Amino acid sequence: MTAPEGGPTDGSTTAAPPRRPARRIEPGPGIRSGLRALPRRLNPATVGAGVVAAVFGCTGPALIVIDGAAANGLPGPLISSWIFGIYVFGGLISLLLALRYRMPIVGAYSIPGAVLVVGALGTFPFSAVVGTFLVAGLLVLVLGLSGLIGTVSRWLPQPIVMAMIAGALVRFGTGVVTAAESAPWIAAAAIVGFLLLSRFVPVVPGALGALVAGVIAAAATGGFATQASAVDGWTAPVLVAPTFDVAAILAVGVPLAVLVIAAENAQAYGVLLSQGYRPPINAMTVASGVGGLLAPLTGGHNANIAGPMTAICSGPQAGPDPDARYAASVVNGVLFIAFGVLAGVAVTAVTALPSELVAVVAGLAMIGVLVSSFRGAFGEGRFRIGALTALVVAMSEVAPLGISSPFWALVAGVAISAVLEPGDFRVRAETD
């Protein structure tokens, strides 16, 4: 049985994207269908994966925004409002897309985009930076509505996309080793917790066991961090009036739009492909565009699809049934919304977790996705040189023109295959 274009049906997924012309906004089972099936899909695996993804998204990435904004003189209430925008609207994206398509699509915000944005705060006034957020959101929305992103995504050779995913996510795997060097007892406890739960209680994600065991080890070794935060206590969101500066738009807005599409959406699309889904890439792009128009109302940069957290919620750690994994995204979305609303209180709690523990848990949670991505990249026997090129470029984390390595990995992989493996494109066209 073949899954419909909008998403998998119960008991069926497919690893290949559709090759026929697609509707601009892909159809799906619908939000009502997702809500009706949700109680049966909530189980220890999906809830655990959603919690692990939320812990990852609410720790280090939040600090990039908070510390960067504070270093550039933004007051606490405005930073809190920024956090509200990206987490609340990111969480809403998770809820709407996961329920509509019954796929583990996770909304958050671009981490490379956050780095880009905080770097611009010292050059442009905040109101002008907010104006760039709106322009970026509009650009993403127009591209999503045009259907162009879906056309390009279906044309890209799947082995090259899978290699890009493997290269982009492998840093989380090596992060486990790095964390083990700097915090050996915490890392060892987390790994033991992962192995024990995976071996003896497989219905619960091993990554959740890693988190619990790591927290215990951190408490025993005094590994919890205590630091003052610029966000302290609950404050109401602040409406921010944008201004528009051409220089700021060219320096921040356009690169931010490219990062949303070429880094986050492309990663999430490839991750979902690797796990057997038919991702609604046009709908994902449109949602990222709408999120880019809503989050700036309270000072936040684009709320959009999140690549790494989609990987956590869509992989085997979220349970053996691919049709149930969308519940992990729903759990993650609810937690994200709560974090955004209660940022002043929640930030202190989540940032106390040792960064090494978060790195280990994230790396262990992505094992299944990494295995699938490497298999998809090199298992078919086609586009192998292009796939290797994409893998190496994505692993390099280079960022020419401020655009992160996943985009350049796809460009380089396709270019190399076009020169050295033209026959693979002909074979692919004949079989489509």
Side-chain angles (χ1 to χ4, degrees):
M1 179 179 177
T2 302
E5 186 175 313
T9 57
D10 289 351
S12 64
T13 58
T14 178
R19 299 300 180 188
R20 60 185 183 278
R23 291 167 57 175
R24 292 289 176 88
I25 303 298
E26 300 87 345
I31 292 177
R32 288 184 180 179
S33 172
L35 286 171
R36 283 196 301 267
L38 183 62
R40 302 192 304 275
R41 307 310 188 196
L42 290 169
N43 55 54
T46 56
V47 172
V51 170
V52 169
V55 168
F56 169 80
C58 295
T59 49
L63 285 178
I64 293 175
V65 174
I66 294 169
D67 292 347
N72 283 279
L74 262 65
L78 194 54
I79 299 174
S80 180
S81 187
W82 185 339
I83 294 294
F84 176 93
I86 56 180
Y87 279 92
V88 170
F89 291 113
L92 287 173
I93 289 175
S94 291
L95 295 181
L96 294 175
L97 290 187
L99 291 172
R100 173 174 170 77
Y101 292 100
R102 292 176 63 173
M103 291 190 205
I105 304 169
V106 177
Y109 55 93
S110 172
I111 299 174
V115 175
L116 169 71
V117 168
V118 298
L121 291 177
T123 305
F124 304 103
F126 187 64
S127 62
V129 174
V130 172
T132 70
F133 300 163
L134 288 168
V135 172
L138 182 60
L139 289 174
V140 174
L141 178 60
V142 169
L143 286 172
L145 292 173
S146 73
L148 178 63
I149 301 301
T151 301
V152 172
S153 299
R154 287 187 294 274
W155 174 80
L156 287 171
Q158 190 170 337
I160 293 176
V161 176
M162 293 298 100
M164 178 272 287
I165 294 303
L169 298 183
V170 75
R171 63 188 176 91
F172 293 102
T174 58
V176 176
V177 181
T178 304
E181 181 182 30
S182 57
W185 290 111
I186 294 174
I191 293 171
V192 169
F194 174 84
L195 294 174
L196 290 176
L197 214 59
S198 298
R199 177 66 178 85
F200 298 108
V201 194
V203 296
V204 180
L208 191 59
L211 178 61
V212 173
V215 166
I216 295 173
T221 59
F224 282 105
T226 54
Q227 62 181 51
S229 172
V231 179
D232 185 20
W234 187 86
T235 57
V238 178
L239 292 178
V240 180
T243 58
F244 297 95
D245 181 293
V246 174
I249 289 170
L250 294 176
V252 181
V254 174
L256 180 59
V258 174
L259 282 172
V260 168
I261 295 171
E264 301 299 337
N265 278 26
Q267 282 190 53
Y269 175 78
V271 163
L272 291 167
L273 279 181
S274 74
Q275 298 306 306
Y277 298 94
R278 286 179 171 176
I281 184 62
N282 287 336
M284 292 161 62
T285 308
V286 168
S288 295
V290 173
L293 295 176
L294 294 177
L297 297 178
T298 60
H301 66 293
N302 288 57
N304 50 256
I305 307 302
M309 280 168 285
T310 295
I312 294 174
C313 290
S314 65
Q317 284 289 303
D321 182 6
D323 294 304
R325 293 175 189 168
Y326 80 92
S329 294
V330 173
V331 171
N332 180 88
V334 171
L335 293 175
F336 258 44
I337 292 171
F339 182 84
V341 172
L342 303 173
V345 178
V347 164
T348 302
V350 297
T351 55
L353 289 173
S355 60
E356 294 86 357
L357 173 58
V358 176
V360 171
V361 172
L364 294 174
M366 293 187 191
I367 288 176
V369 173
L370 280 168
V371 170
S372 299
S373 299
F374 276 106
R375 185 185 297 120
F378 302 106
E380 290 188 13
R382 295 187 297 144
F383 301 103
R384 285 189 171 179
I385 300 176
L388 180 61
T389 302
L391 173 71
V392 172
V393 173
M395 289 177 62
S396 72
E397 299 188 33
V398 297
L401 304 178
I403 303 171
S404 56
S405 60
F407 171 78
W408 299 112
L410 293 176
V411 172
V414 170
I416 293 297
S417 281
V419 175
L420 299 180
E421 301 170 306
D424 288 347
F425 282 97
R426 289 194 291 271
V427 171
R428 178 172 180 257
E430 292 171 359
T431 56
D432 284 352

